Amino acid sequence: MNYRIERNCRIQFPSPVREHHVQVRLAPWEDSAQALISLDLRVSPEAIPVARYDGFGNLSHHFSVLDAHRALEFKLTADVETRLANPFDYEAITPARERAWLADSLHQAPRLWDFVYHQGPLTPALPVEISGQPLPAWRDGIPVLTQVQEASAWVHAFTAFDPTAASSVATLTALFDAGHGTAADLAHLLIAVLRGWSCPARFVSGYQDPAYFEPDDEAPPGTKPRPQTLHQWVEVLIPGVGWRGFDPAFALVADDTYIRVAVGRDAGDVSPIRHTSKGTGEPPELIESLSVIRLEDVAGT
């Protein structure tokens, strides 16, 4: 699949600021599963973005506007090709060898332990049951892929995905009380379950095919598509193949309709926009828009 991504952002301050430093993580990854064909990032007032990779391999851009200003705008345009048409197309190894494969991977790349042992308010160690409902438990002899799919389906059934939620919860405990949450909230719950099994699991932010934002079959006639937003899901180190994505918000395995942007231990590692400035200290207004389109659709019009 080929997509064009256009991301616009305006940071509007109530009074002038200066020495404004910005970091963004909005550009797609480039690896065997997807290719970054082109990338353009333009800033106003004019600034030169500097690209770098962080410790998790995410591409970020940094730029600064030193003179006084009340608004800063940037536009990112990227063309990307996704290649994971069938996430199940690989040669599986026997369940008896899977734990040894994971152990060997962790031995060869010790940084993977970050995705096993990391805990925090968003991905804490979980009890054996939540609200009287037992958590999925690890079962010997069952393929890791199968068990991860079942855990993702459990999260999807346990906590409703709320695409209209304005923000994610501050702690996973708050998610249990609410009974519904954002895609990031559901991803954090799945990660906490999987790390309890000692399976390497990482948080992912990225873009989706525009079809995911269309009204479902049960929506009233005339319902408009939801505004496109950055999405979140989970990647798990699957024996015999490597990282595969699982989306508990939709109970799906990620394929070429998912476009990875950033990975980390939890949402704190993949913040799409960070910025600091000197001024009165009054908070700015953040105005954003996102458009993801299939280039095949453009060519066909």
Side-chain angles (χ1 to χ4, degrees):
M1 303 284 283
N2 290 272
Y3 295 96
R4 174 159 296 159
I5 299 153
E6 293 185 353
R7 186 76 184 265
N8 295 275
C9 180
R10 178 180 176 88
I11 305 173
Q12 179 74 51
F13 291 88
S15 57
V17 299
R18 66 189 190 282
E19 296 183 35
H20 194 180
H21 303 280
V22 184
Q23 177 194 53
V24 298
R25 288 187 185 86
L26 297 170
W29 265 57
E30 185 162 27
D31 58 15
S32 60
Q34 62 185 44
L36 184 58
I37 306 301
S38 65
L39 176 67
D40 181 62
L41 178 59
R42 302 194 178 190
V43 184
S44 178
E46 186 175 358
I48 300 175
V50 177
R52 63 178 291 271
Y53 289 91
D54 65 19
F56 298 104
N58 305 313
L59 176 60
S60 64
H61 290 84
H62 305 247
F63 49 89
S64 301
V65 175
L66 302 182
D67 293 338
H69 60 282
R70 291 188 60 176
L72 182 149
E73 297 181 80
F74 64 84
K75 179 178 181 179
L76 180 143
T77 304
D79 287 353
V80 60
E81 177 189 3
T82 56
R83 298 167 175 166
L84 193 61
N86 181 4
F88 304 101
D89 185 17
Y90 66 92
E91 188 173 344
I93 63 178
T94 63
R97 293 181 51 226
E98 288 189 322
R99 278 297 180 183
W101 188 96
L102 287 173
D104 185 59
S105 297
L106 290 163
H107 176 73
Q108 293 187 42
R111 293 203 64 177
L112 291 176
W113 286 108
D114 277 346
F115 304 119
V116 178
Y117 284 139
H118 176 75
Q119 294 181 3
L122 298 173
T123 55
L126 295 176
V128 295
E129 63 178 42
I130 301 172
S131 302
Q133 185 174 146
L135 269 68
W138 175 260
R139 293 170 293 153
D140 292 329
I142 307 297
V144 170
L145 176 65
T146 299
Q147 299 200 58
V148 174
Q149 286 181 277
E150 292 175 351
S152 181
W154 178 86
V155 171
H156 179 78
F158 178 79
T159 306
F161 168 47
D162 182 1
T164 65
S167 60
S168 298
V169 299
T171 66
L172 207 54
T173 305
L175 177 64
F176 306 151
D177 296 335
H180 59 86
T182 65
D185 296 330
L186 273 64
H188 285 135
L189 177 54
L190 179 57
I191 287 171
V193 170
L194 299 176
R195 289 181 183 165
W197 296 351
S198 296
C199 287
R202 63 190 189 185
F203 185 90
V204 188
S205 68
Y207 307 112
Q208 288 179 297
D209 188 282
Y212 288 100
F213 299 90
E214 295 289 339
D216 59 30
D217 296 337
E218 299 178 358
T223 302
K224 295 181 179 180
R226 290 188 293 113
Q228 294 184 24
T229 59
L230 201 66
H231 192 60
Q232 295 82 28
W233 62 96
V234 178
E235 285 186 342
V236 184
L237 195 62
I238 300 296
V241 61
W243 296 106
R244 282 292 186 268
F246 300 85
D247 183 0
F250 290 97
L252 294 173
V253 178
D255 57 10
D256 58 355
T257 61
Y258 284 71
I259 306 165
R260 186 198 304 113
V261 167
V263 304
R265 298 164 299 180
D266 58 30
D269 290 330
V270 301
S271 178
I273 302 172
R274 288 178 173 152
H275 65 105
T276 63
S277 61
K278 290 183 179 179
T280 62
E282 298 175 88
E285 180 184 8
L286 195 63
I287 305 167
E288 300 179 88
S289 66
L290 170 66
S291 173
V292 179
I293 59 173
R294 293 186 188 179
L295 291 180
E296 292 90 340
D297 294 343
V298 174
T301 58

